[in-house]
Amino acid sequence: DGGITQSPKYLFRKEGQNVTLSCEQNLNHDAMYWYRQDPGQGLRLIYYSQIVNDFQKGDIAEGYSVSREKKESFPLTVTSAQKNPTAFYLCASSIPGSTGWRNTEAFFGQGTRLTVV
Amino acid sequence: AQSVTQPDIHITVSEGASLELRCNYSYGATPYLFWYVQSPGQGLQLLLKYFSGDTLVQGIKGFEAEFKRSQSSFNLRKPSVHWSDAAEYFCAVGALTGGGNKLTFGTGTQLKVEL
């Protein structure tokens, strides 16, 4: 089945540690996105990538980093610089990457819940 | 920059009653509008989308939405709500920016269904 796989489902991090969230898609989509979800704040865009080896900062990129070395993978690293990392993280993908939304939509993974302990 | 406002944080309806969830958007060009639904602890599922043409769009699970350009609104409706519709609903606007496709979400509306 085609889809987006996020792992792990639950992740615990000690303060001061970096952690990496995995996002893999087999939909052959060009574009991939990372969102953070907090209660009452909806989904906020962290980073997005329209093509391999290229990515853009979203609205709340501070304290996060990404890479896009392969079309199907877009891992997110939550660094120690992120002061309040406890949240639900959602990865999404869409096609095409840079020609508007007329013929596409965003497909979402099941999310990773990150908790700082 | 584009933005989406969902003025109702929580809505409670009785099963079988009609439903309308409000969404207002701000975007300088032709808007691409979406409604997504999220069950607790899950990802988002697309209900419907509007690109152009007929301003009343039909989606899955019996939902529909009406695009009103003059009011910058894209409200979601359902004639008769089922208990399984209890979830969180998000409106989103799609834009083409210098960095590529970008999707901006509202803060969501939590729907509770009373039996």
Side-chain angles (χ1 to χ4, degrees):
Chain A
D1 286 339
I4 300 175
T5 301
Q6 291 188 240
S7 62
K9 188 172 178 64
Y10 299 96
L11 187 57
F12 297 89
R13 188 195 94 171
K14 293 183 179 179
E15 286 193 30
Q17 284 184 338
N18 294 353
V19 289
T20 298
L21 283 60
S22 171
C23 179
E24 302 277 334
Q25 55 100 356
N26 59 5
L27 300 169
N28 199 32
H29 287 175
D30 292 312
M32 297 187 74
Y33 310 81
W34 273 106
Y35 287 90
R36 170 180 171 142
Q37 185 177 15
D38 297 280
Q41 298 194 52
L43 279 73
R44 294 180 290 168
L45 184 64
I46 305 173
Y47 269 98
Y48 58 117
S49 168
Q50 305 298 301
I51 196 169
V52 174
N53 292 323
D54 184 55
F55 47 83
Q56 306 292 327
K57 291 183 178 180
D59 302 315
I60 56 165
E62 185 175 352
Y64 299 97
S65 66
V66 293
S67 63
R68 188 82 187 277
E69 297 178 358
K70 298 186 298 182
K71 186 176 185 178
E72 55 273 18
S73 178
F74 192 40
L76 173 74
T77 296
V78 183
T79 75
S80 56
Q82 170 50 238
K83 297 307 178 187
N84 186 22
T86 295
F88 191 54
Y89 292 86
L90 286 161
C91 179
S93 69
S94 70
I95 54 160
S98 58
T99 58
W101 289 96
R102 175 170 292 277
N103 297 312
T104 189
E105 64 193 66
F107 294 82
F108 283 82
Q110 294 300 294
T112 293
R113 184 165 299 280
L114 173 63
T115 303
V116 173
V117 296
Chain B
Q2 64 276 10
S3 66
V4 176
T5 301
Q6 294 182 248
D8 303 306
I9 299 174
H10 296 98
I11 283 186
T12 300
V13 299
S14 299
E15 189 175 35
S18 63
L19 171 69
E20 183 169 29
L21 303 182
R22 295 184 290 166
C23 171
N24 292 97
Y25 69 90
S26 173
Y27 184 52
T30 300
Y32 297 97
L33 298 164
F34 305 82
W35 274 101
Y36 282 86
V37 62
Q38 183 184 36
S39 297
Q42 301 296 313
L44 274 67
Q45 180 184 21
L46 181 71
L47 285 175
L48 47 80
K49 56 188 178 183
Y50 171 78
F51 292 155
S52 65
D54 193 348
T55 56
L56 185 64
V57 293
Q58 303 297 320
I60 62 172
K61 304 184 180 186
F63 285 92
E64 65 180 26
E66 186 172 13
F67 171 63
K68 293 185 178 180
R69 184 183 297 274
S70 61
Q71 298 178 20
S72 297
S73 69
F74 188 56
N75 294 349
L76 182 71
R77 302 194 295 243
K78 187 169 185 179
S80 178
V81 170
H82 189 263
W83 65 267
S84 61
D85 293 324
E88 190 157 22
Y89 292 80
F90 292 94
C91 181
V93 60
L96 179 58
T97 69
N101 285 1
K102 190 176 178 182
L103 194 61
T104 299
F105 286 84
T107 52
T109 297
Q110 186 73 47
L111 174 65
K112 180 180 177 182
V113 179
E114 291 183 332
L115 300 177

